């Protein structure tokens, strides 16, 4: 009979470990899925920013000198990071 109790405890321990492993795997997959979604969202935002720059470039010659310098600085930063 003591052997049956030990076996039962071992079985419960294995079940808890299995649930724990499943939870870790689910959490990891959720994190990976979130990273993929974030990357897609950031790519869309970057594409939109590039479109805005293309449009703005057509009119930058109309900017006051101080605004033009700031725009060119920001444009350069964006291009270096993209």
């Amino acid at each position: 009979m003591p052997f049956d109790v030990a076996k039962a405890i071992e079985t419960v321990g294995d079940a808890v470990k299995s649930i724990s492993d499943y939870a870790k795997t689910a959490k990891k997959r959720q994190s990976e899925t979130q990273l993929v979604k974030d990357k897609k969202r950031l790519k869309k935002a970057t594409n939109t920013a590039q479109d805005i720059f293309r449009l703005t470039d057509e009119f930058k010659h109309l900017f006051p000198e101080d605004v033009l310098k700031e725009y060119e600085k920001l444009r350069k930063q964006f291009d270096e990071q993209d």
Side-chain angles (χ1 to χ4, degrees):
M1 191 168 223
F3 181 73
D4 292 337
V5 172
K7 192 71 167 168
I9 291 172
E10 181 181 348
T11 302
V12 170
D14 290 345
V16 170
K17 184 180 182 311
S18 176
I19 291 170
S20 175
D21 290 346
Y22 173 78
K24 287 178 188 176
T25 301
K27 185 71 169 173
K28 183 178 177 184
R29 285 189 183 143
Q30 182 182 14
S31 296
E32 291 170 355
T33 300
Q34 188 61 44
L35 287 173
V36 169
K37 287 179 182 178
D38 287 347
K39 186 174 180 176
K40 287 179 182 179
R41 184 182 53 79
L42 289 172
K43 182 63 180 166
K44 286 181 182 180
T46 300
N47 290 344
T48 300
Q50 289 172 334
D51 291 342
I52 292 169
F53 278 125
R54 276 190 221 103
L55 287 172
T56 306
D57 283 345
E58 294 179 34
F59 301 100
K60 71 181 183 180
H61 65 279
L62 301 173
F63 294 172
E65 188 65 29
D66 59 330
V67 174
L68 179 61
K69 284 183 181 181
E70 182 67 18
Y71 172 80
E72 288 176 345
K73 176 184 153 194
L74 292 171
R75 174 69 193 247
K76 183 179 176 184
Q77 286 177 355
F78 179 84
D79 289 342
E80 288 173 355
Q81 294 177 14
D82 184 33

